[in-house]
């Protein structure tokens, strides 16, 4: 199973990626983990990313794409993967498509997590309090939601045009949302 998860911060992508990856025996690949590993290992890509992160800037697409493509070349990704946090731009999605087409292993689905802004703010505020995350302060949350709307929403249109988009109602208990996802993925497989 080769899928990507799309949705705003707090939509439950990380939680559900772990559930889906476990169910299909595929690695859960989170770009944040890739960034941290490359920085910690002092790789060339990690040093390049660190320069941008130190300035508070977004890491350029070419650096992000290179890191993710390197990770996807790992043996554990041969049978599939669950991508969480990549792609974030249409340029990144196109790079992923080119890579997968070259391998003859196209993407199977793009799951778009639908959550109300009220619910996102509630979840992120709770996460900020529980985990002491500075990136979940209310003003930062609102900014991250705006960035998502501008930068990432075009991906939803991109995957819809390609017939890969599955909208997921991401409100409810974790196990209920997981069941919705698995049911939708199974229905999507039957239609192909």
């Amino acid at each position: 199973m080769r899928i990507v998860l799309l949705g705003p911060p707090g939509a439950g992508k990380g939680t559900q990626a772990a559930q889906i990856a476990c169910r299909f025996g595929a690695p859960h690949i989170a770009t944040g983990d890739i960034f941290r590993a490359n920085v910690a290992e002092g790789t060339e890509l990690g040093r390049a990313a660190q320069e941008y992160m130190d300035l508070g800037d977004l890491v350029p697409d070419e650096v992000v794409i290179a890191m993710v493509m390197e990770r996807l070349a790992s043996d554990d990704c041969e049978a599939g993967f669950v991508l969480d946090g990549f792609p974030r731009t249409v340029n990144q999605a196109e790079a992923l498509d080119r890579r997968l087409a070259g391998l003859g292993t196209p993407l199977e689905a793009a799951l778009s997590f639908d959550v109300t802004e009220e619910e996102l703010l509630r979840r992120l505020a709770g996460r900020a309090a529980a985990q002491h995350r500075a990136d979940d302060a209310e003003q930062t949350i609102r900014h991250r939601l705006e960035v998502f709307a501008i930068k990432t929403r075009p991906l939803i249109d991109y995957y819809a045009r390609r017939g890969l988009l599955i909208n997921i109602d991401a409100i409810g208990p974790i196990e209920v949302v997981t069941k919705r996802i698995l049911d939708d993925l199974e229905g999507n497989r039957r239609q192909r």
Side-chain angles (χ1 to χ4, degrees):
M1 176 71 54
R2 289 171 303 282
I3 63 174
V4 298
L5 306 184
L6 308 172
K13 297 181 303 295
T15 299
Q16 292 301 329
Q19 299 287 326
I20 298 164
C22 182
R23 169 69 169 80
F24 291 104
H28 166 201
I29 300 173
T31 51
D33 294 344
I34 295 172
F35 276 26
R36 285 185 288 280
N38 273 273
V39 169
E41 293 168 14
T43 68
E44 185 177 330
L45 289 171
R47 288 189 302 274
Q50 188 69 55
E51 287 179 35
Y52 290 96
M53 292 186 298
D54 286 347
L55 296 170
D57 292 336
L58 290 176
V59 178
D61 276 355
E62 60 270 10
V63 176
V64 177
I65 290 167
M67 283 185 181
V68 173
M69 295 308 148
E70 186 176 283
R71 175 64 182 92
L72 291 179
S74 300
D75 291 343
D76 66 335
C77 293
E78 282 183 23
F81 51 79
V82 178
L83 274 172
D84 167 16
F86 182 91
R88 289 206 173 166
T89 65
V90 171
N91 186 40
Q92 291 176 7
E94 290 170 344
L96 177 63
D97 285 345
R98 284 190 299 274
R99 168 64 180 249
L100 296 177
L103 296 172
T105 56
L107 196 64
E108 294 177 58
L111 306 180
S112 177
F113 286 50
D114 296 329
V115 184
T116 64
E117 187 171 332
E118 251 176 57
E119 178 66 9
L120 290 172
L121 292 171
R122 187 191 67 72
R123 288 180 185 183
L124 291 171
R127 185 169 81 182
Q131 298 177 5
H132 307 291
R133 285 181 56 153
D135 63 335
D136 284 340
E138 186 170 348
Q139 66 273 18
T140 308
I141 292 168
R142 291 193 185 281
H143 177 70
R144 289 171 67 204
L145 294 176
E146 288 170 16
V147 168
F148 170 78
I150 294 165
K151 290 274 193 188
T152 311
R153 294 271 325 163
L155 280 174
I156 293 169
D157 296 335
Y158 176 82
Y159 285 120
R161 284 192 303 275
R162 298 197 51 238
L164 295 173
L165 189 70
I166 299 173
N167 290 303
I168 302 296
D169 174 0
I171 296 178
I174 292 169
E175 48 293 334
V176 170
V177 175
T178 302
K179 182 169 179 359
R180 286 179 195 143
I181 291 168
L182 296 175
D183 289 349
D184 286 345
L185 285 172
E186 187 57 38
N188 190 48
R189 277 186 149 174
R190 275 188 252 125
Q191 290 176 1
R192 289 184 183 259

PDB file of all heavy atoms in Angstrom, residues 32-56:
ATOM      1  N   GLY A  32       9.134  14.965   9.493  1.00  0.00           N
ATOM      2  CA  GLY A  32       9.788  15.512  10.678  1.00  0.00           C
ATOM      3  C   GLY A  32      10.862  14.571  11.200  1.00  0.00           C
ATOM      4  O   GLY A  32      11.961  14.995  11.573  1.00  0.00           O
ATOM      5  N   ASP A  33      10.567  13.264  11.199  1.00  0.00           N
ATOM      6  CA  ASP A  33      11.545  12.264  11.640  1.00  0.00           C
ATOM      7  C   ASP A  33      12.746  12.236  10.697  1.00  0.00           C
ATOM      8  O   ASP A  33      13.888  12.095  11.143  1.00  0.00           O
ATOM      9  CB  ASP A  33      10.914  10.870  11.694  1.00  0.00           C
ATOM     10  CG  ASP A  33       9.829  10.745  12.753  1.00  0.00           C
ATOM     11  OD1 ASP A  33       9.757  11.616  13.660  1.00  0.00           O
ATOM     12  OD2 ASP A  33       9.043   9.779  12.667  1.00  0.00           O
ATOM     13  N   ILE A  34      12.494  12.343   9.393  1.00  0.00           N
ATOM     14  CA  ILE A  34      13.580  12.335   8.409  1.00  0.00           C
ATOM     15  C   ILE A  34      14.480  13.551   8.625  1.00  0.00           C
ATOM     16  O   ILE A  34      15.707  13.433   8.607  1.00  0.00           O
ATOM     17  CB  ILE A  34      13.021  12.320   6.964  1.00  0.00           C
ATOM     18  CG1 ILE A  34      12.276  11.013   6.698  1.00  0.00           C
ATOM     19  CG2 ILE A  34      14.149  12.511   5.952  1.00  0.00           C
ATOM     20  CD1 ILE A  34      11.528  10.998   5.383  1.00  0.00           C
ATOM     21  N   PHE A  35      13.866  14.720   8.830  1.00  0.00           N
ATOM     22  CA  PHE A  35      14.645  15.938   9.079  1.00  0.00           C
ATOM     23  C   PHE A  35      15.531  15.755  10.302  1.00  0.00           C
ATOM     24  O   PHE A  35      16.734  16.012  10.257  1.00  0.00           O
ATOM     25  CB  PHE A  35      13.722  17.140   9.322  1.00  0.00           C
ATOM     26  CG  PHE A  35      13.228  17.814   8.079  1.00  0.00           C
ATOM     27  CD1 PHE A  35      13.119  17.160   6.881  1.00  0.00           C
ATOM     28  CD2 PHE A  35      12.853  19.143   8.137  1.00  0.00           C
ATOM     29  CE1 PHE A  35      12.651  17.794   5.749  1.00  0.00           C
ATOM     30  CE2 PHE A  35      12.380  19.796   7.009  1.00  0.00           C
ATOM     31  CZ  PHE A  35      12.286  19.117   5.812  1.00  0.00           C
ATOM     32  N   ARG A  36      14.916  15.324  11.405  1.00  0.00           N
ATOM     33  CA  ARG A  36      15.672  15.176  12.652  1.00  0.00           C
ATOM     34  C   ARG A  36      16.812  14.173  12.501  1.00  0.00           C
ATOM     35  O   ARG A  36      17.922  14.401  12.989  1.00  0.00           O
ATOM     36  CB  ARG A  36      14.737  14.782  13.798  1.00  0.00           C
ATOM     37  CG  ARG A  36      13.881  15.951  14.295  1.00  0.00           C
ATOM     38  CD  ARG A  36      13.049  15.588  15.515  1.00  0.00           C
ATOM     39  NE  ARG A  36      11.937  14.699  15.194  1.00  0.00           N
ATOM     40  CZ  ARG A  36      10.782  15.096  14.675  1.00  0.00           C
ATOM     41  NH1 ARG A  36      10.577  16.372  14.411  1.00  0.00           N
ATOM     42  NH2 ARG A  36       9.813  14.231  14.414  1.00  0.00           N
ATOM     43  N   ALA A  37      16.564  13.057  11.806  1.00  0.00           N
ATOM     44  CA  ALA A  37      17.607  12.043  11.618  1.00  0.00           C
ATOM     45  C   ALA A  37      18.761  12.597  10.780  1.00  0.00           C
ATOM     46  O   ALA A  37      19.932  12.393  11.122  1.00  0.00           O
ATOM     47  CB  ALA A  37      17.021  10.797  10.950  1.00  0.00           C
ATOM     48  N   ASN A  38      18.456  13.310   9.705  1.00  0.00           N
ATOM     49  CA  ASN A  38      19.505  13.866   8.851  1.00  0.00           C
ATOM     50  C   ASN A  38      20.316  14.927   9.584  1.00  0.00           C
ATOM     51  O   ASN A  38      21.532  14.993   9.435  1.00  0.00           O
ATOM     52  CB  ASN A  38      18.909  14.441   7.558  1.00  0.00           C
ATOM     53  CG  ASN A  38      18.769  13.406   6.479  1.00  0.00           C
ATOM     54  OD1 ASN A  38      19.688  13.157   5.720  1.00  0.00           O
ATOM     55  ND2 ASN A  38      17.599  12.778   6.418  1.00  0.00           N
ATOM     56  N   VAL A  39      19.642  15.754  10.385  1.00  0.00           N
ATOM     57  CA  VAL A  39      20.344  16.782  11.159  1.00  0.00           C
ATOM     58  C   VAL A  39      21.233  16.108  12.205  1.00  0.00           C
ATOM     59  O   VAL A  39      22.411  16.442  12.351  1.00  0.00           O
ATOM     60  CB  VAL A  39      19.348  17.773  11.805  1.00  0.00           C
ATOM     61  CG1 VAL A  39      20.044  18.672  12.818  1.00  0.00           C
ATOM     62  CG2 VAL A  39      18.674  18.622  10.725  1.00  0.00           C
ATOM     63  N   ALA A  40      20.683  15.122  12.922  1.00  0.00           N
ATOM     64  CA  ALA A  40      21.436  14.431  13.971  1.00  0.00           C
ATOM     65  C   ALA A  40      22.656  13.705  13.410  1.00  0.00           C
ATOM     66  O   ALA A  40      23.715  13.672  14.037  1.00  0.00           O
ATOM     67  CB  ALA A  40      20.534  13.443  14.710  1.00  0.00           C
ATOM     68  N   GLU A  41      22.499  13.133  12.202  1.00  0.00           N
ATOM     69  CA  GLU A  41      23.603  12.396  11.581  1.00  0.00           C
ATOM     70  C   GLU A  41      24.587  13.324  10.874  1.00  0.00           C
ATOM     71  O   GLU A  41      25.631  12.868  10.409  1.00  0.00           O
ATOM     72  CB  GLU A  41      23.047  11.370  10.586  1.00  0.00           C
ATOM     73  CG  GLU A  41      22.276  10.251  11.262  1.00  0.00           C
ATOM     74  CD  GLU A  41      21.485   9.397  10.284  1.00  0.00           C
ATOM     75  OE1 GLU A  41      21.723   9.485   9.057  1.00  0.00           O
ATOM     76  OE2 GLU A  41      20.610   8.644  10.754  1.00  0.00           O
ATOM     77  N   GLY A  42      24.232  14.610  10.767  1.00  0.00           N
ATOM     78  CA  GLY A  42      25.125  15.568  10.124  1.00  0.00           C
ATOM     79  C   GLY A  42      25.305  15.341   8.639  1.00  0.00           C
ATOM     80  O   GLY A  42      26.350  15.680   8.073  1.00  0.00           O
ATOM     81  N   THR A  43      24.275  14.785   7.988  1.00  0.00           N
ATOM     82  CA  THR A  43      24.374  14.551   6.547  1.00  0.00           C
ATOM     83  C   THR A  43      24.394  15.878   5.802  1.00  0.00           C
ATOM     84  O   THR A  43      24.027  16.927   6.356  1.00  0.00           O
ATOM     85  CB  THR A  43      23.185  13.716   6.027  1.00  0.00           C
ATOM     86  OG1 THR A  43      21.989  14.508   6.133  1.00  0.00           O
ATOM     87  CG2 THR A  43      23.027  12.410   6.795  1.00  0.00           C
ATOM     88  N   GLU A  44      24.805  15.827   4.555  1.00  0.00           N
ATOM     89  CA  GLU A  44      24.822  17.037   3.732  1.00  0.00           C
ATOM     90  C   GLU A  44      23.415  17.646   3.646  1.00  0.00           C
ATOM     91  O   GLU A  44      23.238  18.851   3.787  1.00  0.00           O
ATOM     92  CB  GLU A  44      25.346  16.702   2.337  1.00  0.00           C
ATOM     93  CG  GLU A  44      25.525  17.915   1.450  1.00  0.00           C
ATOM     94  CD  GLU A  44      26.107  17.566   0.090  1.00  0.00           C
ATOM     95  OE1 GLU A  44      26.861  16.587  -0.002  1.00  0.00           O
ATOM     96  OE2 GLU A  44      25.776  18.283  -0.872  1.00  0.00           O
ATOM     97  N   LEU A  45      22.414  16.775   3.440  1.00  0.00           N
ATOM     98  CA  LEU A  45      21.029  17.263   3.380  1.00  0.00           C
ATOM     99  C   LEU A  45      20.594  17.817   4.728  1.00  0.00           C
ATOM    100  O   LEU A  45      19.889  18.817   4.803  1.00  0.00           O
ATOM    101  CB  LEU A  45      20.088  16.140   2.942  1.00  0.00           C
ATOM    102  CG  LEU A  45      20.202  15.698   1.483  1.00  0.00           C
ATOM    103  CD1 LEU A  45      19.386  14.444   1.239  1.00  0.00           C
ATOM    104  CD2 LEU A  45      19.772  16.808   0.544  1.00  0.00           C
ATOM    105  N   GLY A  46      21.013  17.178   5.799  1.00  0.00           N
ATOM    106  CA  GLY A  46      20.682  17.653   7.142  1.00  0.00           C
ATOM    107  C   GLY A  46      21.270  19.022   7.421  1.00  0.00           C
ATOM    108  O   GLY A  46      20.613  19.894   7.994  1.00  0.00           O
ATOM    109  N   ARG A  47      22.515  19.224   7.007  1.00  0.00           N
ATOM    110  CA  ARG A  47      23.154  20.540   7.190  1.00  0.00           C
ATOM    111  C   ARG A  47      22.439  21.608   6.372  1.00  0.00           C
ATOM    112  O   ARG A  47      22.229  22.728   6.849  1.00  0.00           O
ATOM    113  CB  ARG A  47      24.638  20.468   6.830  1.00  0.00           C
ATOM    114  CG  ARG A  47      25.464  19.708   7.866  1.00  0.00           C
ATOM    115  CD  ARG A  47      26.960  19.830   7.626  1.00  0.00           C
ATOM    116  NE  ARG A  47      27.388  19.361   6.320  1.00  0.00           N
ATOM    117  CZ  ARG A  47      27.687  18.093   6.022  1.00  0.00           C
ATOM    118  NH1 ARG A  47      27.614  17.165   6.953  1.00  0.00           N
ATOM    119  NH2 ARG A  47      28.075  17.765   4.811  1.00  0.00           N
ATOM    120  N   ALA A  48      22.036  21.257   5.149  1.00  0.00           N
ATOM    121  CA  ALA A  48      21.316  22.215   4.305  1.00  0.00           C
ATOM    122  C   ALA A  48      19.978  22.580   4.945  1.00  0.00           C
ATOM    123  O   ALA A  48      19.601  23.756   5.013  1.00  0.00           O
ATOM    124  CB  ALA A  48      21.097  21.641   2.903  1.00  0.00           C
ATOM    125  N   ALA A  49      19.267  21.577   5.444  1.00  0.00           N
ATOM    126  CA  ALA A  49      17.964  21.820   6.083  1.00  0.00           C
ATOM    127  C   ALA A  49      18.135  22.660   7.340  1.00  0.00           C
ATOM    128  O   ALA A  49      17.361  23.586   7.589  1.00  0.00           O
ATOM    129  CB  ALA A  49      17.288  20.497   6.414  1.00  0.00           C
ATOM    130  N   GLN A  50      19.158  22.356   8.129  1.00  0.00           N
ATOM    131  CA  GLN A  50      19.388  23.049   9.397  1.00  0.00           C
ATOM    132  C   GLN A  50      19.584  24.546   9.189  1.00  0.00           C
ATOM    133  O   GLN A  50      19.097  25.362   9.961  1.00  0.00           O
ATOM    134  CB  GLN A  50      20.601  22.463  10.124  1.00  0.00           C
ATOM    135  CG  GLN A  50      20.784  23.015  11.528  1.00  0.00           C
ATOM    136  CD  GLN A  50      19.702  22.547  12.483  1.00  0.00           C
ATOM    137  OE1 GLN A  50      19.478  21.358  12.627  1.00  0.00           O
ATOM    138  NE2 GLN A  50      19.013  23.473  13.118  1.00  0.00           N
ATOM    139  N   GLU A  51      20.281  24.911   8.115  1.00  0.00           N
ATOM    140  CA  GLU A  51      20.503  26.333   7.819  1.00  0.00           C
ATOM    141  C   GLU A  51      19.182  27.075   7.682  1.00  0.00           C
ATOM    142  O   GLU A  51      19.016  28.167   8.220  1.00  0.00           O
ATOM    143  CB  GLU A  51      21.321  26.495   6.525  1.00  0.00           C
ATOM    144  CG  GLU A  51      22.773  26.127   6.670  1.00  0.00           C
ATOM    145  CD  GLU A  51      23.523  26.282   5.358  1.00  0.00           C
ATOM    146  OE1 GLU A  51      23.199  27.219   4.581  1.00  0.00           O
ATOM    147  OE2 GLU A  51      24.430  25.472   5.105  1.00  0.00           O
ATOM    148  N   TYR A  52      18.239  26.477   6.967  1.00  0.00           N
ATOM    149  CA  TYR A  52      16.931  27.117   6.775  1.00  0.00           C
ATOM    150  C   TYR A  52      16.127  27.116   8.067  1.00  0.00           C
ATOM    151  O   TYR A  52      15.502  28.109   8.420  1.00  0.00           O
ATOM    152  CB  TYR A  52      16.145  26.421   5.653  1.00  0.00           C
ATOM    153  CG  TYR A  52      16.756  26.672   4.308  1.00  0.00           C
ATOM    154  CD1 TYR A  52      17.636  25.756   3.743  1.00  0.00           C
ATOM    155  CD2 TYR A  52      16.484  27.848   3.605  1.00  0.00           C
ATOM    156  CE1 TYR A  52      18.213  25.994   2.508  1.00  0.00           C
ATOM    157  CE2 TYR A  52      17.058  28.098   2.374  1.00  0.00           C
ATOM    158  CZ  TYR A  52      17.933  27.165   1.839  1.00  0.00           C
ATOM    159  OH  TYR A  52      18.509  27.407   0.623  1.00  0.00           O
ATOM    160  N   MET A  53      16.158  25.997   8.783  1.00  0.00           N
ATOM    161  CA  MET A  53      15.384  25.891  10.024  1.00  0.00           C
ATOM    162  C   MET A  53      15.903  26.873  11.069  1.00  0.00           C
ATOM    163  O   MET A  53      15.119  27.473  11.793  1.00  0.00           O
ATOM    164  CB  MET A  53      15.418  24.454  10.554  1.00  0.00           C
ATOM    165  CG  MET A  53      14.663  23.487   9.644  1.00  0.00           C
ATOM    166  SD  MET A  53      14.509  21.796  10.279  1.00  0.00           S
ATOM    167  CE  MET A  53      16.187  21.263  10.408  1.00  0.00           C
ATOM    168  N   ASP A  54      17.228  27.069  11.127  1.00  0.00           N
ATOM    169  CA  ASP A  54      17.808  28.017  12.082  1.00  0.00           C
ATOM    170  C   ASP A  54      17.337  29.438  11.826  1.00  0.00           C
ATOM    171  O   ASP A  54      17.226  30.245  12.745  1.00  0.00           O
ATOM    172  CB  ASP A  54      19.342  27.971  12.036  1.00  0.00           C
ATOM    173  CG  ASP A  54      19.901  26.724  12.692  1.00  0.00           C
ATOM    174  OD1 ASP A  54      19.138  26.009  13.393  1.00  0.00           O
ATOM    175  OD2 ASP A  54      21.107  26.453  12.498  1.00  0.00           O
ATOM    176  N   LEU A  55      17.052  29.743  10.559  1.00  0.00           N
ATOM    177  CA  LEU A  55      16.572  31.079  10.195  1.00  0.00           C
ATOM    178  C   LEU A  55      15.053  31.196  10.319  1.00  0.00           C
ATOM    179  O   LEU A  55      14.490  32.261  10.111  1.00  0.00           O
ATOM    180  CB  LEU A  55      16.985  31.416   8.753  1.00  0.00           C
ATOM    181  CG  LEU A  55      18.487  31.526   8.506  1.00  0.00           C
ATOM    182  CD1 LEU A  55      18.768  31.622   7.010  1.00  0.00           C
ATOM    183  CD2 LEU A  55      19.045  32.737   9.239  1.00  0.00           C
ATOM    184  N   GLY A  56      14.404  30.064  10.619  1.00  0.00           N
ATOM    185  CA  GLY A  56      12.942  30.061  10.715  1.00  0.00           C
ATOM    186  C   GLY A  56      12.271  30.000   9.363  1.00  0.00           C
ATOM    187  O   GLY A  56      11.079  30.268   9.241  1.00  0.00           O
TER     188      GLY A  56
END
